[in-house]
Structures are given as C-alpha cells and as structure tokens.
Amino acid sequence: MKVVVGVSGGIAAYKAVGVVRGFVLAGHDVHVVATEAALRFVGRPTLEAISRNPVHTELFEGVAEVRHVALGQSADLIVVAPATANTLAKIAHGFADDLLGTTILASEAPLVLAPAMHTEMWNDPATRANVALLRERGVTLVGPASGRLTGRDSGPGRMAEPEEIVAAALAVVGPRDFAGRRVLVTAGGTREPIDPVRFVGNRSSGRQGVALARAAAARGAQVHLIVANLDDGVAPADAGITLEHVDTAAELEAAAGRAAAEADLVIMAAAVADYRPDEVAAGKIKKETQGDTLELRLVKNPDILRGLVDARREGQTVVGFAAETETDREALLELARAKAARKGVDYLVVNTVGWSTGFGTPDNSIVMLSGSGDILTEASGPKASVADRILDVLAR
Ligand code: CTP
C-alpha cells in the first residue's frame, strides 16, 4: 500500500519517525511530505533513511511530474502526524498553500490525523470547531493523549504513540473481516524459575505473536493477548487489544484456559518452556555451597496447546505454532505434520528457528498447514505482513 505520511511543525515531529518506521515494517511504501517547519524539528536525512524514499516539502519541486497532486492521487492512505493546530485548521478549511495541503486536497484516500498541541490550543473553540468539521467529513483522529507536554505543563494534547497511530490508520483502510470475532493470542516465551534471580527460558521476543494480535485487532477483532516476557518495546498499545502479562508456563496455562473459554479463535504463538526446574530454591543458589557443578532436575510442563484443543468449544478454531531447527524442507514438513496430528490443532504455523533466525528478528518465514497436514499458505517478510497472510487463511 502507498502511504503518505504528512509531518507538520510541532515538537512531536520527532515521533513521526516512529510512525514512518511502523508503516515500513508493516510492509508499506511510505512517502513523507513534511512542512518547512517540520524539518526544523526533525532532519530530512532521518525521514529519508527510515522511509527509504525521498522526502517532499516543496510545492515547486517536481513540477514536470505534477507532484503537487500526484502524491495525493496515488496514495492509498494519508496520515498526518503530528497535526498541529495550524495544520488541523488548514486541512479543515481546504487550504492548499503547501505540498501537504495540495496532496490532501488532491486525494480520495482515507485521511488520519494525529493532533499534537498544547492543551489550551486543543481546547480553544476554533480548534474544537475544526475537529468537529473534520470528524463530520469522515476524517479519523487518533489522540491526542493526555500527559506531559513539552514545557512544564501536562494535559490533553500529547501526540498518540506511533504504534497506536499506525494501527488505527491501518484499521481504517484494512479489511474488517474479523469484526465481532473474539481472538486469544499468546506471545513471548515463558521463564521457569530456578531461584529468585535465575530462570530457564528461551529467546522468543514475542514479535510474531504481537503482530498477529495487532493484525487481528486492525481487522476488527476483539483481542485478548497474553504475553510472557516480551522484548522491550514489543508490547502493543493498540485499541482492541486487552493485554495480560504472565511469566511461567503454569501462569500461561491458567490464563489461557480462562481466556479461551471466551474466544472464537485461539492462536498459540508463545514459546512455552517444555521443562521447568523440579524444585525452586527459596534463596539464591551460592557457589560456595554448590561447588564446581550444579545439577538441575527438570520436569515436564503441561502441553498447554493440547489442553486447549481438548477443551475446545463448538465452533472454536485452535492454531498452533511449531518452531523447528530442521533446515531440510521435506524433513521440516514431516516434523510439522506429525506435530499437527499430535496436538490435534486445526492449523499449524511452522517456522524455522536457529541461532540467528526466527527469534527476535523483524522478519519471519512460515509455512501454514491444515490440521491434516496440507500446505495452505507460505509467507515471508516483515512479521506484520506474515501475520496478515496467516489471518487471510483463517478468515476464509
Ligand atoms: N506448546 C504448549 N505447551 C508446551 C509446549 C508447547 O502449548 N508445553 C505449544 C506452543 O505454544 C506451540 C506448539 O505447542 O503452539 C508447538 O510448540 P513446540 O515447542 O514447537 O512443540 P513441542 O510440543 O514443545 O514439541 P518439541 O519441542 O518436542 O518439538
């Protein structure tokens, strides 16, 4: 999708970089139109590097290609973040005295604005009237949030967080084929305590599971997302997602059991530790008392997915994941087919993991199988677009 990100001149322009990055990571072709004032807050090279495209500002550049309208005409979505009080006013009244104005006027694409300004400006009757006018015309506003502003003041006016803006904007254009569906997603990796300061765990970052939750929410689902030990910055703040934190497999089992009772679709993307220490030391294990070797006895954790399949309600769909280190494709598919049958899932999403693949990376490569082992789809690329391909199959 071609996304135009308009950046106007407020201090929140530095956060526009995160918005641009969010669309790029979701697999979109992003073109930034920045006002002159915006470029005093954030550098053109930054926006160009992140968007991977030239940044446009000038009305009198690219005249031969009629750029002042071409960008708007070809856009599938226009997002202005931040939208200052001045920019809101100009858009509300159809001003076309800069490239952002002409781009918006020349476009039929959905328009999403993320206002950012001081509380007094947001509350001013002129801004109130402009916002009402924009909403009446079907423009989507995301935020502003309430919180600390640039000076010592705080209150409504803070620009919404980039990931919230991206999710809300994609929800405006995307299919709503999961509207009314209740979806449970688990993500991340469980940690099994050894003593109060140590654990047995795995390298799952939670990115693919979170991407699935976000994609489902963007497509209209009501999502319950249970997360175990996500990497920093991965937790979503999107509308439509209820977040629950767990740590161990036992906690995940309890939380997933409760949430599954309410779900139409269960996606078990979490990497569950297969074993946990038999005994958890009450205090920190010390080298002095332990000596040169330490033996840990591990006992098997319950298979949460198998339990969910056994408790499956009428009409409920259960999707499992399989993370394998097997690199030979046929052997991988054999393992996966056996796993799908063993677990009794409706679908199994298979990906290879290794020292440098699968875990913690922005991209993923998957094969999706039916419960009986037929290949339904294969996808690779950013985890967000892989998530959408998986949901495409489930939507059918
Ligand atoms: N899973 C689970 N509970 C466990 C282990 C795994 O619910 N104790 C789920 C995972 O969330 C995933 C699926 O089962 O959806 C497959 O996980 P995976 O680790 O690939 O398979 P295992 O059953 O653990 O088999 P193995 O590790 O022997 O390959």
Side-chain angles (χ1 to χ4, degrees), residues 268-270 272-274 301-305 320-324 339 342-343:
M268 190 72 192
V272 185
D274 288 325
N301 269 326
D303 188 330
I304 302 173
L305 180 58
F321 268 69
E324 306 289 354
K339 192 169 281 186
R342 195 164 69 239
K343 304 253 179 187

mmCIF file with all atom_site columns, all heavy atoms in Angstrom, residues 268-270 272-274 301-305 320-324 339 342-343, ligand 1:
data_model
loop_
_atom_site.group_PDB
_atom_site.id
_atom_site.type_symbol
_atom_site.label_atom_id
_atom_site.label_alt_id
_atom_site.label_comp_id
_atom_site.label_asym_id
_atom_site.label_entity_id
_atom_site.label_seq_id
_atom_site.pdbx_PDB_ins_code
_atom_site.Cartn_x
_atom_site.Cartn_y
_atom_site.Cartn_z
_atom_site.occupancy
_atom_site.B_iso_or_equiv
_atom_site.pdbx_formal_charge
_atom_site.auth_seq_id
_atom_site.auth_comp_id
_atom_site.auth_asym_id
_atom_site.auth_atom_id
_atom_site.pdbx_PDB_model_num
ATOM   1   N N   . MET A 1 268 ? -1.859 -19.876 19.442 1.00 0.00 ? 268 MET A N   1
ATOM   2   C CA  . MET A 1 268 ? -0.879 -20.178 20.489 1.00 0.00 ? 268 MET A CA  1
ATOM   3   C C   . MET A 1 268 ? 0.530  -19.959 19.933 1.00 0.00 ? 268 MET A C   1
ATOM   4   O O   . MET A 1 268 ? 1.227  -20.898 19.543 1.00 0.00 ? 268 MET A O   1
ATOM   5   C CB  . MET A 1 268 ? -1.115 -21.640 20.907 1.00 0.00 ? 268 MET A CB  1
ATOM   6   C CG  . MET A 1 268 ? -0.384 -22.091 22.114 1.00 0.00 ? 268 MET A CG  1
ATOM   7   S SD  . MET A 1 268 ? -1.016 -21.389 23.633 1.00 0.00 ? 268 MET A SD  1
ATOM   8   C CE  . MET A 1 268 ? 0.312  -21.869 24.717 1.00 0.00 ? 268 MET A CE  1
ATOM   9   N N   . ALA A 1 269 ? 0.931  -18.684 19.902 1.00 0.00 ? 269 ALA A N   1
ATOM   10  C CA  . ALA A 1 269 ? 2.242  -18.361 19.329 1.00 0.00 ? 269 ALA A CA  1
ATOM   11  C C   . ALA A 1 269 ? 3.344  -18.335 20.379 1.00 0.00 ? 269 ALA A C   1
ATOM   12  O O   . ALA A 1 269 ? 4.519  -18.234 20.044 1.00 0.00 ? 269 ALA A O   1
ATOM   13  C CB  . ALA A 1 269 ? 2.165  -17.013 18.614 1.00 0.00 ? 269 ALA A CB  1
ATOM   14  N N   . ALA A 1 270 ? 2.980  -18.414 21.649 1.00 0.00 ? 270 ALA A N   1
ATOM   15  C CA  . ALA A 1 270 ? 4.000  -18.337 22.706 1.00 0.00 ? 270 ALA A CA  1
ATOM   16  C C   . ALA A 1 270 ? 4.934  -19.541 22.647 1.00 0.00 ? 270 ALA A C   1
ATOM   17  O O   . ALA A 1 270 ? 4.533  -20.636 22.275 1.00 0.00 ? 270 ALA A O   1
ATOM   18  C CB  . ALA A 1 270 ? 3.337  -18.266 24.075 1.00 0.00 ? 270 ALA A CB  1
ATOM   19  N N   . VAL A 1 272 ? 6.558  -21.959 24.809 1.00 0.00 ? 272 VAL A N   1
ATOM   20  C CA  . VAL A 1 272 ? 6.397  -22.445 26.181 1.00 0.00 ? 272 VAL A CA  1
ATOM   21  C C   . VAL A 1 272 ? 7.611  -23.301 26.529 1.00 0.00 ? 272 VAL A C   1
ATOM   22  O O   . VAL A 1 272 ? 8.020  -24.154 25.741 1.00 0.00 ? 272 VAL A O   1
ATOM   23  C CB  . VAL A 1 272 ? 5.125  -23.320 26.299 1.00 0.00 ? 272 VAL A CB  1
ATOM   24  C CG1 . VAL A 1 272 ? 4.882  -23.727 27.745 1.00 0.00 ? 272 VAL A CG1 1
ATOM   25  C CG2 . VAL A 1 272 ? 3.915  -22.587 25.731 1.00 0.00 ? 272 VAL A CG2 1
ATOM   26  N N   . ALA A 1 273 ? 8.170  -23.067 27.712 1.00 0.00 ? 273 ALA A N   1
ATOM   27  C CA  . ALA A 1 273 ? 9.275  -23.929 28.152 1.00 0.00 ? 273 ALA A CA  1
ATOM   28  C C   . ALA A 1 273 ? 8.714  -25.332 28.350 1.00 0.00 ? 273 ALA A C   1
ATOM   29  O O   . ALA A 1 273 ? 7.710  -25.513 29.031 1.00 0.00 ? 273 ALA A O   1
ATOM   30  C CB  . ALA A 1 273 ? 9.859  -23.401 29.461 1.00 0.00 ? 273 ALA A CB  1
ATOM   31  N N   . ASP A 1 274 ? 9.349  -26.311 27.725 1.00 0.00 ? 274 ASP A N   1
ATOM   32  C CA  . ASP A 1 274 ? 8.843  -27.673 27.827 1.00 0.00 ? 274 ASP A CA  1
ATOM   33  C C   . ASP A 1 274 ? 9.102  -28.267 29.214 1.00 0.00 ? 274 ASP A C   1
ATOM   34  O O   . ASP A 1 274 ? 8.391  -29.149 29.653 1.00 0.00 ? 274 ASP A O   1
ATOM   35  C CB  . ASP A 1 274 ? 9.498  -28.561 26.760 1.00 0.00 ? 274 ASP A CB  1
ATOM   36  C CG  . ASP A 1 274 ? 8.979  -28.226 25.367 1.00 0.00 ? 274 ASP A CG  1
ATOM   37  O OD1 . ASP A 1 274 ? 7.787  -27.889 25.262 1.00 0.00 ? 274 ASP A OD1 1
ATOM   38  O OD2 . ASP A 1 274 ? 9.764  -28.289 24.409 1.00 0.00 ? 274 ASP A OD2 1
ATOM   39  N N   . ASN A 1 301 ? 6.607  -29.650 31.623 1.00 0.00 ? 301 ASN A N   1
ATOM   40  C CA  . ASN A 1 301 ? 5.446  -28.777 31.798 1.00 0.00 ? 301 ASN A CA  1
ATOM   41  C C   . ASN A 1 301 ? 4.253  -29.383 31.058 1.00 0.00 ? 301 ASN A C   1
ATOM   42  O O   . ASN A 1 301 ? 4.436  -30.146 30.113 1.00 0.00 ? 301 ASN A O   1
ATOM   43  C CB  . ASN A 1 301 ? 5.744  -27.394 31.201 1.00 0.00 ? 301 ASN A CB  1
ATOM   44  C CG  . ASN A 1 301 ? 6.341  -26.464 32.229 1.00 0.00 ? 301 ASN A CG  1
ATOM   45  O OD1 . ASN A 1 301 ? 6.006  -26.531 33.410 1.00 0.00 ? 301 ASN A OD1 1
ATOM   46  N ND2 . ASN A 1 301 ? 7.252  -25.604 31.784 1.00 0.00 ? 301 ASN A ND2 1
ATOM   47  N N   . PRO A 1 302 ? 3.057  -29.016 31.459 1.00 0.00 ? 302 PRO A N   1
ATOM   48  C CA  . PRO A 1 302 ? 1.897  -29.499 30.709 1.00 0.00 ? 302 PRO A CA  1
ATOM   49  C C   . PRO A 1 302 ? 1.924  -28.937 29.289 1.00 0.00 ? 302 PRO A C   1
ATOM   50  O O   . PRO A 1 302 ? 2.464  -27.854 29.058 1.00 0.00 ? 302 PRO A O   1
ATOM   51  C CB  . PRO A 1 302 ? 0.705  -28.933 31.487 1.00 0.00 ? 302 PRO A CB  1
ATOM   52  C CG  . PRO A 1 302 ? 1.257  -27.822 32.311 1.00 0.00 ? 302 PRO A CG  1
ATOM   53  C CD  . PRO A 1 302 ? 2.688  -28.158 32.580 1.00 0.00 ? 302 PRO A CD  1
ATOM   54  N N   . ASP A 1 303 ? 1.372  -29.676 28.340 1.00 0.00 ? 303 ASP A N   1
ATOM   55  C CA  . ASP A 1 303 ? 1.231  -29.169 26.981 1.00 0.00 ? 303 ASP A CA  1
ATOM   56  C C   . ASP A 1 303 ? -0.037 -28.309 26.952 1.00 0.00 ? 303 ASP A C   1
ATOM   57  O O   . ASP A 1 303 ? -1.153 -28.828 26.930 1.00 0.00 ? 303 ASP A O   1
ATOM   58  C CB  . ASP A 1 303 ? 1.141  -30.344 25.995 1.00 0.00 ? 303 ASP A CB  1
ATOM   59  C CG  . ASP A 1 303 ? 1.185  -29.864 24.550 1.00 0.00 ? 303 ASP A CG  1
ATOM   60  O OD1 . ASP A 1 303 ? 0.725  -28.727 24.276 1.00 0.00 ? 303 ASP A OD1 1
ATOM   61  O OD2 . ASP A 1 303 ? 1.673  -30.619 23.701 1.00 0.00 ? 303 ASP A OD2 1
ATOM   62  N N   . ILE A 1 304 ? 0.169  -27.005 26.977 1.00 0.00 ? 304 ILE A N   1
ATOM   63  C CA  . ILE A 1 304 ? -0.962 -26.076 27.094 1.00 0.00 ? 304 ILE A CA  1
ATOM   64  C C   . ILE A 1 304 ? -1.861 -26.169 25.862 1.00 0.00 ? 304 ILE A C   1
ATOM   65  O O   . ILE A 1 304 ? -3.082 -26.214 25.955 1.00 0.00 ? 304 ILE A O   1
ATOM   66  C CB  . ILE A 1 304 ? -0.440 -24.627 27.275 1.00 0.00 ? 304 ILE A CB  1
ATOM   67  C CG1 . ILE A 1 304 ? 0.447  -24.559 28.528 1.00 0.00 ? 304 ILE A CG1 1
ATOM   68  C CG2 . ILE A 1 304 ? -1.598 -23.644 27.371 1.00 0.00 ? 304 ILE A CG2 1
ATOM   69  C CD1 . ILE A 1 304 ? 1.156  -23.240 28.708 1.00 0.00 ? 304 ILE A CD1 1
ATOM   70  N N   . LEU A 1 305 ? -1.212 -26.209 24.710 1.00 0.00 ? 305 LEU A N   1
ATOM   71  C CA  . LEU A 1 305 ? -1.958 -26.262 23.444 1.00 0.00 ? 305 LEU A CA  1
ATOM   72  C C   . LEU A 1 305 ? -2.841 -27.508 23.393 1.00 0.00 ? 305 LEU A C   1
ATOM   73  O O   . LEU A 1 305 ? -4.014 -27.437 23.040 1.00 0.00 ? 305 LEU A O   1
ATOM   74  C CB  . LEU A 1 305 ? -0.973 -26.245 22.276 1.00 0.00 ? 305 LEU A CB  1
ATOM   75  C CG  . LEU A 1 305 ? -1.562 -26.293 20.880 1.00 0.00 ? 305 LEU A CG  1
ATOM   76  C CD1 . LEU A 1 305 ? -2.504 -25.128 20.635 1.00 0.00 ? 305 LEU A CD1 1
ATOM   77  C CD2 . LEU A 1 305 ? -0.450 -26.298 19.829 1.00 0.00 ? 305 LEU A CD2 1
ATOM   78  N N   . GLY A 1 320 ? -1.851 -23.702 16.283 1.00 0.00 ? 320 GLY A N   1
ATOM   79  C CA  . GLY A 1 320 ? -0.592 -23.905 16.997 1.00 0.00 ? 320 GLY A CA  1
ATOM   80  C C   . GLY A 1 320 ? 0.575  -23.400 16.173 1.00 0.00 ? 320 GLY A C   1
ATOM   81  O O   . GLY A 1 320 ? 0.453  -23.146 14.966 1.00 0.00 ? 320 GLY A O   1
ATOM   82  N N   . PHE A 1 321 ? 1.692  -23.251 16.815 1.00 0.00 ? 321 PHE A N   1
ATOM   83  C CA  . PHE A 1 321 ? 2.929  -22.879 16.143 1.00 0.00 ? 321 PHE A CA  1
ATOM   84  C C   . PHE A 1 321 ? 3.934  -24.009 16.322 1.00 0.00 ? 321 PHE A C   1
ATOM   85  O O   . PHE A 1 321 ? 3.855  -24.758 17.283 1.00 0.00 ? 321 PHE A O   1
ATOM   86  C CB  . PHE A 1 321 ? 3.501  -21.584 16.734 1.00 0.00 ? 321 PHE A CB  1
ATOM   87  C CG  . PHE A 1 321 ? 3.038  -20.364 16.001 1.00 0.00 ? 321 PHE A CG  1
ATOM   88  C CD1 . PHE A 1 321 ? 1.716  -19.955 16.074 1.00 0.00 ? 321 PHE A CD1 1
ATOM   89  C CD2 . PHE A 1 321 ? 3.925  -19.631 15.211 1.00 0.00 ? 321 PHE A CD2 1
ATOM   90  C CE1 . PHE A 1 321 ? 1.277  -18.848 15.379 1.00 0.00 ? 321 PHE A CE1 1
ATOM   91  C CE2 . PHE A 1 321 ? 3.497  -18.517 14.511 1.00 0.00 ? 321 PHE A CE2 1
ATOM   92  C CZ  . PHE A 1 321 ? 2.180  -18.131 14.593 1.00 0.00 ? 321 PHE A CZ  1
ATOM   93  N N   . ALA A 1 322 ? 4.862  -24.100 15.416 1.00 0.00 ? 322 ALA A N   1
ATOM   94  C CA  . ALA A 1 322 ? 5.949  -25.056 15.595 1.00 0.00 ? 322 ALA A CA  1
ATOM   95  C C   . ALA A 1 322 ? 7.240  -24.359 15.228 1.00 0.00 ? 322 ALA A C   1
ATOM   96  O O   . ALA A 1 322 ? 7.398  -23.852 14.121 1.00 0.00 ? 322 ALA A O   1
ATOM   97  C CB  . ALA A 1 322 ? 5.738  -26.271 14.710 1.00 0.00 ? 322 ALA A CB  1
ATOM   98  N N   . ALA A 1 323 ? 8.130  -24.284 16.188 1.00 0.00 ? 323 ALA A N   1
ATOM   99  C CA  . ALA A 1 323 ? 9.445  -23.693 15.940 1.00 0.00 ? 323 ALA A CA  1
ATOM   100 C C   . ALA A 1 323 ? 10.424 -24.842 15.834 1.00 0.00 ? 323 ALA A C   1
ATOM   101 O O   . ALA A 1 323 ? 10.570 -25.622 16.770 1.00 0.00 ? 323 ALA A O   1
ATOM   102 C CB  . ALA A 1 323 ? 9.809  -22.775 17.096 1.00 0.00 ? 323 ALA A CB  1
ATOM   103 N N   . GLU A 1 324 ? 11.035 -24.990 14.689 1.00 0.00 ? 324 GLU A N   1
ATOM   104 C CA  . GLU A 1 324 ? 11.923 -26.134 14.470 1.00 0.00 ? 324 GLU A CA  1
ATOM   105 C C   . GLU A 1 324 ? 13.288 -25.652 13.982 1.00 0.00 ? 324 GLU A C   1
ATOM   106 O O   . GLU A 1 324 ? 13.374 -24.633 13.288 1.00 0.00 ? 324 GLU A O   1
ATOM   107 C CB  . GLU A 1 324 ? 11.336 -27.076 13.403 1.00 0.00 ? 324 GLU A CB  1
ATOM   108 C CG  . GLU A 1 324 ? 9.903  -27.545 13.671 1.00 0.00 ? 324 GLU A CG  1
ATOM   109 C CD  . GLU A 1 324 ? 9.791  -28.541 14.821 1.00 0.00 ? 324 GLU A CD  1
ATOM   110 O OE1 . GLU A 1 324 ? 10.837 -28.973 15.351 1.00 0.00 ? 324 GLU A OE1 1
ATOM   111 O OE2 . GLU A 1 324 ? 8.651  -28.877 15.192 1.00 0.00 ? 324 GLU A OE2 1
ATOM   112 N N   . LYS A 1 339 ? 3.518  -33.122 14.270 1.00 0.00 ? 339 LYS A N   1
ATOM   113 C CA  . LYS A 1 339 ? 3.160  -32.259 15.406 1.00 0.00 ? 339 LYS A CA  1
ATOM   114 C C   . LYS A 1 339 ? 1.692  -31.834 15.332 1.00 0.00 ? 339 LYS A C   1
ATOM   115 O O   . LYS A 1 339 ? 0.981  -31.846 16.336 1.00 0.00 ? 339 LYS A O   1
ATOM   116 C CB  . LYS A 1 339 ? 4.090  -31.034 15.438 1.00 0.00 ? 339 LYS A CB  1
ATOM   117 C CG  . LYS A 1 339 ? 4.006  -30.245 16.720 1.00 0.00 ? 339 LYS A CG  1
ATOM   118 C CD  . LYS A 1 339 ? 5.103  -29.193 16.852 1.00 0.00 ? 339 LYS A CD  1
ATOM   119 C CE  . LYS A 1 339 ? 6.432  -29.789 17.277 1.00 0.00 ? 339 LYS A CE  1
ATOM   120 N NZ  . LYS A 1 339 ? 7.474  -28.792 17.556 1.00 0.00 ? 339 LYS A NZ  1
ATOM   121 N N   . ARG A 1 342 ? -0.318 -34.728 16.432 1.00 0.00 ? 342 ARG A N   1
ATOM   122 C CA  . ARG A 1 342 ? -0.156 -34.995 17.863 1.00 0.00 ? 342 ARG A CA  1
ATOM   123 C C   . ARG A 1 342 ? -0.937 -33.997 18.705 1.00 0.00 ? 342 ARG A C   1
ATOM   124 O O   . ARG A 1 342 ? -1.511 -34.332 19.723 1.00 0.00 ? 342 ARG A O   1
ATOM   125 C CB  . ARG A 1 342 ? 1.341  -34.918 18.180 1.00 0.00 ? 342 ARG A CB  1
ATOM   126 C CG  . ARG A 1 342 ? 1.740  -35.500 19.501 1.00 0.00 ? 342 ARG A CG  1
ATOM   127 C CD  . ARG A 1 342 ? 3.246  -35.726 19.561 1.00 0.00 ? 342 ARG A CD  1
ATOM   128 N NE  . ARG A 1 342 ? 4.010  -34.495 19.590 1.00 0.00 ? 342 ARG A NE  1
ATOM   129 C CZ  . ARG A 1 342 ? 4.930  -34.148 18.695 1.00 0.00 ? 342 ARG A CZ  1
ATOM   130 N NH1 . ARG A 1 342 ? 5.208  -34.947 17.678 1.00 0.00 ? 342 ARG A NH1 1
ATOM   131 N NH2 . ARG A 1 342 ? 5.583  -33.006 18.801 1.00 0.00 ? 342 ARG A NH2 1
ATOM   132 N N   . LYS A 1 343 ? -0.945 -32.747 18.236 1.00 0.00 ? 343 LYS A N   1
ATOM   133 C CA  . LYS A 1 343 ? -1.577 -31.689 19.033 1.00 0.00 ? 343 LYS A CA  1
ATOM   134 C C   . LYS A 1 343 ? -3.074 -31.583 18.748 1.00 0.00 ? 343 LYS A C   1
ATOM   135 O O   . LYS A 1 343 ? -3.798 -30.948 19.506 1.00 0.00 ? 343 LYS A O   1
ATOM   136 C CB  . LYS A 1 343 ? -0.918 -30.340 18.728 1.00 0.00 ? 343 LYS A CB  1
ATOM   137 C CG  . LYS A 1 343 ? 0.587  -30.331 18.951 1.00 0.00 ? 343 LYS A CG  1
ATOM   138 C CD  . LYS A 1 343 ? 0.968  -29.567 20.176 1.00 0.00 ? 343 LYS A CD  1
ATOM   139 C CE  . LYS A 1 343 ? 2.462  -29.599 20.397 1.00 0.00 ? 343 LYS A CE  1
ATOM   140 N NZ  . LYS A 1 343 ? 2.836  -28.993 21.675 1.00 0.00 ? 343 LYS A NZ  1
HETATM 141 N N1  . CTP B 2 .   ? 3.168  -25.609 23.436 1.00 0.00 ? 1   CTP B N1  1
HETATM 142 C C1  . CTP B 2 .   ? 2.359  -25.625 24.555 1.00 0.00 ? 1   CTP B C1  1
HETATM 143 N N2  . CTP B 2 .   ? 2.797  -26.129 25.720 1.00 0.00 ? 1   CTP B N2  1
HETATM 144 C C2  . CTP B 2 .   ? 4.016  -26.674 25.810 1.00 0.00 ? 1   CTP B C2  1
HETATM 145 C C3  . CTP B 2 .   ? 4.867  -26.685 24.690 1.00 0.00 ? 1   CTP B C3  1
HETATM 146 C C4  . CTP B 2 .   ? 4.420  -26.139 23.507 1.00 0.00 ? 1   CTP B C4  1
HETATM 147 O O1  . CTP B 2 .   ? 1.228  -25.132 24.466 1.00 0.00 ? 1   CTP B O1  1
HETATM 148 N N3  . CTP B 2 .   ? 4.416  -27.189 26.975 1.00 0.00 ? 1   CTP B N3  1
HETATM 149 C C5  . CTP B 2 .   ? 2.640  -25.091 22.176 1.00 0.00 ? 1   CTP B C5  1
HETATM 150 C C6  . CTP B 2 .   ? 3.386  -23.912 21.584 1.00 0.00 ? 1   CTP B C6  1
HETATM 151 O O2  . CTP B 2 .   ? 2.804  -22.704 22.012 1.00 0.00 ? 1   CTP B O2  1
HETATM 152 C C7  . CTP B 2 .   ? 3.176  -24.104 20.100 1.00 0.00 ? 1   CTP B C7  1
HETATM 153 C C8  . CTP B 2 .   ? 3.087  -25.596 19.959 1.00 0.00 ? 1   CTP B C8  1
HETATM 154 O O3  . CTP B 2 .   ? 2.740  -26.099 21.243 1.00 0.00 ? 1   CTP B O3  1
HETATM 155 O O4  . CTP B 2 .   ? 1.963  -23.556 19.649 1.00 0.00 ? 1   CTP B O4  1
HETATM 156 C C9  . CTP B 2 .   ? 4.334  -26.286 19.487 1.00 0.00 ? 1   CTP B C9  1
HETATM 157 O O5  . CTP B 2 .   ? 5.418  -25.911 20.265 1.00 0.00 ? 1   CTP B O5  1
HETATM 158 P P1  . CTP B 2 .   ? 6.831  -26.546 20.004 1.00 0.00 ? 1   CTP B P1  1
HETATM 159 O O6  . CTP B 2 .   ? 7.780  -26.070 21.044 1.00 0.00 ? 1   CTP B O6  1
HETATM 160 O O7  . CTP B 2 .   ? 7.215  -26.369 18.570 1.00 0.00 ? 1   CTP B O7  1
HETATM 161 O O8  . CTP B 2 .   ? 6.488  -28.081 20.151 1.00 0.00 ? 1   CTP B O8  1
HETATM 162 P P2  . CTP B 2 .   ? 6.561  -29.053 21.362 1.00 0.00 ? 1   CTP B P2  1
HETATM 163 O O9  . CTP B 2 .   ? 5.237  -29.644 21.617 1.00 0.00 ? 1   CTP B O9  1
HETATM 164 O O10 . CTP B 2 .   ? 7.211  -28.402 22.512 1.00 0.00 ? 1   CTP B O10 1
HETATM 165 O O11 . CTP B 2 .   ? 7.470  -30.208 20.758 1.00 0.00 ? 1   CTP B O11 1
HETATM 166 P P3  . CTP B 2 .   ? 9.074  -30.234 20.592 1.00 0.00 ? 1   CTP B P3  1
HETATM 167 O O12 . CTP B 2 .   ? 9.623  -29.117 21.445 1.00 0.00 ? 1   CTP B O12 1
HETATM 168 O O13 . CTP B 2 .   ? 9.432  -31.573 21.104 1.00 0.00 ? 1   CTP B O13 1
HETATM 169 O O14 . CTP B 2 .   ? 9.320  -30.033 19.148 1.00 0.00 ? 1   CTP B O14 1
#
